[in-house]
Amino acid sequence: MDRPVIACVLAGGTGSRLYPASRSDRPKQFHSFGGERSLLSQTMDRTAFADERVVLTRESFADEIHDHAPEAGVLIEPDGKDTGPALVYAAWRLRDRFDREPVLICLPSDHHVTDEAAFAAVLERAAEIAVETDGLVTLGVEPTRPATGYGYIVPTRSDIDEDGHAAVERFTEKPDREEATRLVDAGAYWNAGIFAWTPSALLRDARESPLAPLVDALEDGDPDGGFDAVDAISIDYAIMERATDVSVTPLSVGWDDLGTWDAVGRVLETTRDDTANDLVAGDVLSIDAANNVVAAPDSHVSVLEVDDLIVAAFDDRILVAPRDASQRVRDVVTRLRERDAF
């Protein structure tokens, strides 16, 4: 491909569902969760093919980015208003980095991937598709189970064409288990939140979306005013679900979104030894206990005759919850924020 490629890695969130490991001053992308290197560092390795790599983050995290991604540029979003405004801002800022308009590969910094080379190859192909179609491209993960914690992408047909992509019929937000099973059986994909587009393509569709005031303000040289003019909204709600030029290309590698303690446990299950529990770190004594996610790097934890729990202890904070309540950990964070204690 004769277009430059810029990998834009999103690292501005705090990861509230991984509390208490992830806090307002210590977001999840700077953690390793059982690995040797941080999630952000691992993500940067997967984008080594790009001509330029940029980390999109908030100002309070900027100084620490270079500890995890010394090879990357840092782009600070004016305000934390979810992925919609952030990615439109990135497209506007990065569109003139090269003599030719680049292709942007936009991906989160908190994913687990089993085959790095295959993953990078799909990203490169997605960039090519974005140029060929002059549209928006999303990666769809081939599901391994009827997960209720992910959104789904429904293609217009179940057989992907020889060019490696299909038009998107619709996006479906997190379904219940019955609907998730139906979607998997029908050939839908998990929505990984990984995208490819040219800046002009994204900004074109953004002008027909709730983010139009932001685009206008950016063109007038007033990014702060543009962020003030729009509400916090995800890129899916703001643009992807409304656009008519969206394609999906399959991602057929082992993948997980490390957004919850349950997901961390799933990843550890593939690498652990014969222990009955998923141990992120720490000194753990387990007696007749199984399928617990235990994360306590600086503490001793004993678990006795309990199954399917999250036990996470970081600094002076301890979380104990059923493993299947992983998505609700953000409710704890909401209450703590109300008390100014997050």
Side-chain angles (χ1 to χ4, degrees):
M1 186 176 66
D2 61 353
R3 296 283 194 102
V5 175
I6 300 177
C8 180
V9 177
L10 289 87
T14 57
S16 59
R17 290 173 297 172
L18 286 172
Y19 172 85
S22 188
R23 301 272 295 278
S24 58
D25 60 344
R26 189 182 56 205
K28 64 180 176 180
Q29 55 268 26
F30 297 153
H31 289 274
S32 64
F33 294 110
E36 296 181 358
R37 303 175 68 227
S38 70
L39 299 182
L40 177 56
S41 295
Q42 295 175 57
T43 302
M44 300 312 297
D45 289 346
R46 297 174 197 136
T47 60
F49 65 89
D51 298 286
E52 183 177 355
R53 287 177 282 177
V54 174
V55 177
L56 180 62
T57 191
R58 63 179 65 186
E59 186 172 9
S60 58
F61 299 160
D63 290 342
E64 197 170 347
I65 293 296
H66 285 299
D67 294 337
H68 302 266
E71 70 280 22
V74 178
L75 181 60
I76 298 174
E77 52 192 292
D79 194 5
K81 288 200 167 182
D82 213 326
T83 56
L87 288 174
V88 168
Y89 177 71
W92 176 73
R93 285 290 305 273
L94 299 174
R95 60 183 175 175
D96 297 323
R97 287 292 181 95
F98 295 89
D99 291 338
R100 300 201 64 190
E101 185 182 33
V103 183
L104 305 185
I105 297 287
C106 305
L107 67 164
S109 57
D110 57 354
H111 289 177
H112 169 76
V113 174
T114 58
D115 189 331
E116 305 279 345
F119 180 79
V122 175
L123 292 184
E124 291 185 86
R125 178 58 188 140
E128 294 172 347
I129 295 168
V131 174
E132 293 167 4
T133 62
D134 190 30
L136 312 182
V137 180
T138 182
L139 269 62
V141 176
E142 296 186 356
T144 58
R145 63 189 186 281
T148 58
Y150 300 142
Y152 285 77
I153 302 167
V154 180
T156 53
R157 59 183 185 281
S158 58
D159 57 319
I160 298 297
D161 65 24
E162 61 183 13
D163 292 328
H165 61 94
V168 171
E169 178 181 308
R170 71 181 189 279
F171 290 83
T172 297
E173 292 305 309
K174 298 174 182 178
D176 59 27
R177 184 159 297 277
E178 181 179 355
E179 176 64 7
T181 300
R182 192 191 68 76
L183 287 165
V184 171
D185 291 343
Y189 298 96
W190 286 338
N191 184 356
I194 303 173
F195 310 103
W197 46 57
T198 62
S200 60
L202 182 67
L203 294 171
R204 178 187 65 219
D205 285 336
R207 289 187 177 91
E208 303 299 325
S209 80
L211 296 176
L214 173 59
V215 179
D216 292 339
L218 291 173
E219 297 296 348
D220 290 338
D222 183 19
D224 291 332
F227 271 74
D228 289 341
V230 297
D231 295 325
I233 188 171
S234 72
I235 194 71
D236 292 299
Y237 282 129
I239 296 177
M240 301 301 288
E241 295 182 6
R242 304 166 188 267
T244 59
D245 56 353
V246 182
S247 300
V248 60
T249 189
L251 180 60
S252 305
V253 302
W255 171 92
D256 216 322
D257 175 0
L258 296 183
T260 66
W261 286 115
D262 184 49
V264 171
R266 282 196 304 269
V267 169
L268 292 173
E269 285 168 7
T270 67
T271 59
R272 71 186 187 189
D273 53 23
D274 59 354
T275 181
N277 300 286
D278 304 318
L279 312 178
V280 175
D283 177 22
V284 179
L285 172 64
S286 175
I287 302 175
D288 298 328
N291 201 36
N292 300 295
V293 181
V294 183
D298 301 311
S299 306
H300 169 83
V301 175
S302 297
V303 286
L304 171 65
E305 291 192 15
V306 292
D307 300 333
D308 303 302
L309 289 182
I310 301 163
V311 182
F314 288 79
D315 300 329
D316 61 343
R317 304 294 180 94
I318 300 172
L319 170 75
V320 180
R323 187 164 172 172
D324 62 7
S326 287
Q327 296 285 346
R328 293 200 60 202
V329 174
R330 61 170 35 136
D331 294 346
V332 174
V333 172
T334 297
R335 296 288 186 90
L336 290 173
R337 281 176 169 152
E338 291 171 354
R339 296 164 51 183
D340 198 24
F342 178 57

